[in-house]
Amino acid sequence: MSKELAAGQKIQTYEVVSLLGRGGMSRVYLCEDLVLNRRVALKQLLTSDHDSRSVIRLQQEGQSLARLSHPNIVKILTYFNDDDGAQYLVMELLHGCSLAELLAVNGSLGVGDVLKLAEQLCDALQHAHDQGIVHRDIKPTNIFLCNKKIENVKIIDFGIAKIADNSINATRTGEFVGSPAYISPEQALQKDVTVKSDQYSLGCVLYECLAGHPPFEDQTAMGLILKHINDQPEPLGKNLFVPAAVAKTIDRALRKDPEARFASMTEFKQALSGAVPAKSTTLNPAVILGAIAVAIVGGGMFFILMIMKAPTPASSLTPLSTVSPTPNLPPARNIKNAIAGTSEDSLYPSLGDLKIDGFKDEQRVEQELRRNPQKDTVFLNRYAITDHSLSMLARAPNLKKINMDSSRVDDSAGNYLAKIPTLEVIEASKTNLGDAFVAPLSKLPKLHRLALCETQVSSEGLKPLVKNHSLAELLLRCCERIDDRAGSVIAQMPALQMLDASKCSEISDKFVADLGKMPNLNFIAIGETGITSKSLPVLAKMKSLKRIYLDNVEKITDISDLQHLDLDTLSLRNCDINEKIVRQLVKFPHLKLLRLDRAAVTDDDLKVLATAPMLSDLQITNCQLLTQKGINDFHRRKPNCLVNTTQDRYAKLESMF
């Protein structure tokens, strides 16, 4: 078995920085390329001297990737053996998450996102097939979202790929390859596998993205395999929010007979692209085509499009006589009143190919408000939000919270939300919203919480919020345009109590220095940024702080400055924890929650932490140096402290390699 590499160890021209993850067949390390001054991912094969089959697999993965050059396929840089015979594969370093991780959080994806995903994957697989390579293991864990963006995906792990002109077989005769939840029937029956097997597996992935679960589910691997061979999945068309043409296209990719599927990945992609036309008169089940009249006048043709909204069944709505008066909603969209020649482009100018989703979603908003006019919370997650939907919300008399996370919405939404004086909470993370969205929100007299994580908001765009004297919670996690300049702006928000600026890579110690005199800030998260231990004395002077998150901050060697704060929560996830810091931690008199996930904590450290006077919740997931014996000993010494050692799914990086 290959020995685990230690941080600082050099292998040829690569220096190990840290272990990224491990699986049953390999370990993956973050390494520094000492020649080209770049960071790479180094995959080390875990094998005995006699396991030649595993060596062939790693070599074949290298050969497969070396043939391929495509923006949606992970790049192979080199392959080598060290002096001890250990096998290594050097690949580009990817930042983000797997599709499996995204689905674990979101459950499913919108049709628009699935089509973006499918287009890239079809192109990548077509490229591989053109080079004579069949992947044979397409599944969500082998699809990587760079920077967690649907628009930039890469296929990884070609370890069991089939190369058309390779006479060496990387699998034993009769050996099962593939993943049971996504395996094609012919692959399950160990028949000859062609490019259409990848098509079937991709169909399974797209089905799961839309339905929230794979086509087949079973408690055993054999049960799953038999269902792929014999059963038909529940039709996607039963899902109201999946267009019938999209469902039909994916259904064809899932045919049992490979010859009944699409001829190529390109044909599959074209069928999906044509399934949701940019202009369509069949907007959703609630809308029907009234008439198309064509009149020929003087050699010209005039098209009059009349589309009428079908009445909602009375049984599906609460009788209006039983609820409080309906707010002054704008009239329901009635396209039949539009002048001849009006197109959906003018009704939904910002949604592009998602106009159908926009019409459908605005009807859902309207029905919800008519059912409950006094509704104080509206969830629009993953909606296509139109101006018409926003104008309806602006007239809701008691709206306090709106959640637009992961929605398709533009900056004009800010002008509508600014007209809702009762609004207290706006969740708008994972959107393309920017500074123009934020500016009008300064007028909201009761705004308490504003979440803008993973948006396009900049430091300059925060300035209007200084005028808002009610804002208490501001979340800016993963905002690439937030830099040190934001510190002096945020410092002028006297009511602010909670600030999350974690994973904002452009902020440094200067950002923290500008926050030093904020009187009411009791929560700050600034992990995975550019700050260093120099910021700790500044934080120590902020006497109102109760909770501090310093995850992934490098070179913290002393935290004694923070002992003078009345902290009840401290997070040092993935930090270099030494014995000195552990002994300082037990001197925090009011510390209740301590997060040390993925830190270098030992059994001896747990013995010391057991003496912390108020500690009631200890998070130590993925701490590789701990043993079960040490954890049991901590339980015995401090029985009333909750200990979480469950492996964090986001740390299972080995599943991506």
Side-chain angles (χ1 to χ4, degrees):
M1 180 70 69
S2 303
K3 295 182 180 180
E4 183 171 334
L5 304 180
Q9 186 173 346
K10 295 181 180 178
I11 303 294
Q12 290 198 3
T13 61
Y14 304 98
E15 181 176 335
V16 177
V17 177
S18 64
L19 176 68
L20 288 177
R22 70 184 73 200
M25 299 297 297
S26 62
R27 298 189 191 99
V28 180
Y29 301 90
L30 170 63
C31 291
E32 191 76 32
D33 186 332
L34 301 177
V35 175
L36 299 178
N37 192 26
R38 61 179 176 179
R39 290 196 162 184
V40 298
L42 180 69
K43 186 173 185 177
Q44 176 194 36
L45 182 64
L46 303 181
T47 178
S48 65
D49 295 336
H50 305 289
D51 191 3
S52 59
R53 191 65 56 179
S54 297
V55 173
I56 292 174
R57 283 189 180 182
L58 190 68
Q59 292 174 344
Q60 181 162 296
E61 181 176 4
Q63 292 171 4
S64 300
L65 291 172
R67 289 187 176 203
L68 305 176
S69 178
H70 193 276
N72 300 118
I73 297 176
V74 65
K75 294 179 182 177
I76 174 70
L77 303 179
T78 189
Y79 171 89
F80 66 87
N81 306 336
D82 67 6
D83 296 337
D84 297 327
Q87 313 286 316
Y88 296 94
L89 192 64
V90 184
M91 299 175 290
E92 65 173 319
L93 182 64
L94 303 179
H95 300 278
C97 69
S98 71
L99 177 60
E101 291 170 340
L102 180 66
L103 291 175
V105 175
N106 289 355
S108 62
L109 303 178
V111 174
D113 285 340
V114 173
L115 294 181
K116 291 178 187 176
L117 185 76
E119 180 179 1
Q120 298 169 80
L121 295 175
C122 285
D123 285 343
L125 287 171
Q126 184 64 58
H127 175 72
H129 296 165
D130 290 343
Q131 304 303 315
I133 296 172
V134 182
H135 189 282
R136 297 201 297 182
D137 199 19
I138 295 297
K139 58 184 178 180
T141 52
N142 285 341
I143 298 170
F144 195 87
L145 280 64
C146 298
N147 299 317
K148 301 182 180 180
K149 301 293 186 182
I150 287 288
E151 296 80 7
N152 188 7
V153 302
K154 288 182 183 286
I155 299 176
I156 61 177
D157 199 343
F158 280 72
I160 62 171
K162 176 184 176 183
I163 304 178
D165 57 359
N166 194 340
S167 61
I168 300 177
N169 187 9
T171 59
R172 297 179 178 88
T173 302
E175 182 180 5
F176 177 82
V177 294
S179 300
Y182 310 94
I183 193 169
S184 68
E186 62 270 26
Q187 192 170 345
L189 291 169
Q190 297 185 349
K191 294 182 178 180
D192 185 41
V193 173
T194 67
V195 295
K196 293 188 178 182
S197 179
D198 283 347
Q199 184 184 138
Y200 182 94
S201 298
L202 179 57
C204 291
V205 171
L206 300 181
Y207 184 107
E208 181 176 1
C209 288
L210 291 168
H213 56 80
F216 302 108
E217 295 179 292
D218 198 275
Q219 295 181 350
T220 66
M222 183 55 66
L224 273 174
I225 291 171
L226 291 175
K227 287 182 177 180
H228 279 288
I229 295 172
N230 300 314
D231 296 355
Q232 296 297 330
E234 182 176 347
L236 269 176
K238 289 186 176 182
N239 187 328
L240 178 63
F241 305 112
V242 178
V246 173
K248 184 178 180 180
T249 302
I250 294 175
D251 176 70
R252 181 175 172 184
L254 294 177
R255 299 280 176 86
K256 304 298 182 188
D257 181 6
E259 295 304 315
R261 300 170 200 155
F262 294 99
S264 66
M265 299 306 300
T266 298
E267 185 177 324
F268 186 19
K269 168 191 163 183
Q270 291 172 346
L272 285 170
S273 299
V276 183
K279 297 182 180 181
S280 172
T281 56
T282 307
L283 296 179
N284 64 31
V287 181
I288 61 173
L289 179 64
I292 298 180
V294 180
I296 302 178
V297 180
M301 299 185 69
F302 295 86
F303 294 84
I304 304 174
L305 178 62
M306 300 177 65
I307 304 175
M308 300 177 294
K309 191 173 75 172
T312 304
S315 59
S316 66
L317 293 176
T318 305
L320 292 179
S321 60
T322 65
V323 298
S324 52
T326 304
N328 184 24
L329 296 176
R333 179 84 73 202
N334 192 341
I335 304 179
K336 73 175 182 180
N337 292 329
I339 62 172
T342 299
S343 70
E344 292 166 37
D345 289 313
S346 61
L347 297 177
Y348 309 102
S350 63
L351 294 179
D353 291 344
L354 300 173
K355 291 183 284 292
I356 296 174
D357 289 342
F359 193 100
K360 172 180 66 182
D361 288 342
E362 72 179 24
Q363 286 194 317
R364 293 162 66 186
V365 172
E366 179 181 349
Q367 286 193 9
E368 191 64 33
L369 290 176
R370 292 189 184 279
R371 286 192 184 101
N372 185 3
Q374 298 300 321
K375 195 174 183 68
D376 63 1
T377 302
V378 173
F379 292 94
L380 303 178
N381 310 63
R382 297 189 292 277
Y383 272 42
I385 303 177
T386 66
D387 287 351
H388 191 65
S389 293
L390 292 166
S391 64
M392 287 188 282
L393 293 173
R395 289 165 173 76
N398 195 39
L399 191 59
K400 295 180 180 179
K401 178 179 179 180
I402 182 169
N403 190 320
M404 303 189 299
D405 290 348
S406 303
S407 293
R408 283 94 72 187
V409 62
D410 61 32
D411 286 344
S412 65
N415 293 318
Y416 289 96
L417 299 185
K419 299 175 183 178
I420 310 176
T422 56
L423 204 56
E424 298 175 4
V425 177
I426 299 175
E427 304 279 353
S429 298
K430 298 183 179 180
T431 61
N432 287 321
L433 295 172
D435 296 347
F437 168 78
V438 175
L441 304 183
S442 62
K443 303 174 184 178
L444 291 171
K446 297 183 178 181
L447 184 62
H448 178 83
R449 175 184 172 93
L450 179 59
L452 298 168
C453 306
E454 294 187 49
T455 63
Q456 299 301 312
V457 175
S458 71
S459 300
E460 185 73 17
L462 296 177
K463 288 184 177 180
L465 294 178
V466 173
K467 302 176 183 178
N468 188 296
H469 299 292
S470 62
L471 185 61
E473 299 178 6
L474 180 61
L475 285 72
L476 301 170
R477 185 172 63 254
C478 296
C479 287
E480 298 177 352
R481 301 179 64 197
I482 296 296
D483 54 26
D484 283 341
R485 293 173 297 172
S488 59
V489 177
I490 295 172
Q492 301 176 59
M493 303 178 187
L496 203 64
Q497 300 175 24
M498 174 184 178
L499 173 63
D500 184 355
S502 56
K503 298 187 179 182
C504 293
S505 58
E506 298 301 316
I507 68 174
S508 67
D509 294 323
K510 184 182 183 305
F511 174 86
V512 179
D514 288 335
L515 302 178
K517 297 182 179 180
M518 295 191 72
N520 299 310
L521 198 65
N522 61 55
F523 175 105
I524 187 168
I526 44 177
E528 299 189 53
T529 62
I531 73 161
T532 68
S533 56
K534 295 179 181 179
S535 291
L536 298 188
V538 178
L539 296 175
K541 296 178 181 179
M542 302 172 70
K543 300 303 182 182
S544 59
L545 280 177
K546 301 284 187 181
R547 293 168 289 169
I548 299 179
Y549 284 69
L550 297 172
D551 305 334
N552 285 281
V553 175
E554 298 180 0
K555 299 180 181 179
I556 293 182
T557 58
D558 191 315
I559 58 171
S560 58
D561 289 328
L562 303 180
Q563 291 174 353
H564 306 294
L565 295 174
D566 191 19
L567 290 183
D568 59 43
T569 300
L570 181 61
S571 183
L572 299 171
R573 301 176 69 195
N574 209 25
C575 292
D576 293 329
I577 303 298
N578 55 37
E579 182 179 350
K580 178 182 177 181
I581 290 179
V582 172
R583 296 194 177 279
Q584 291 173 346
L585 284 171
V586 300
K587 296 181 181 180
F588 283 66
H590 304 290
L591 189 62
K592 297 178 181 178
L593 171 59
L594 178 60
R595 303 183 67 184
L596 298 175
D597 311 276
R598 299 197 293 276
V601 183
T602 66
D603 290 350
D604 289 337
D605 294 333
L606 287 187
K607 292 179 181 179
V608 177
L609 291 174
T611 65
M614 299 294 290
L615 189 62
S616 58
D617 192 343
L618 178 62
Q619 309 282 328
I620 49 174
T621 64
N622 305 298
C623 292
Q624 304 294 333
L625 300 181
L626 291 179
T627 67
Q628 191 59 49
K629 180 180 178 181
I631 295 171
N632 292 340
D633 182 63
F634 180 86
H635 279 298
R636 182 180 59 80
R637 294 169 182 266
K638 203 168 184 62
N640 294 325
C641 181
L642 175 65
V643 179
N644 184 4
T645 60
T646 304
Q647 190 175 23
D648 183 351
R649 65 171 174 268
Y650 292 103
K652 291 184 178 179
L653 296 179
E654 71 272 14
S655 66
M656 296 186 287
F657 293 92

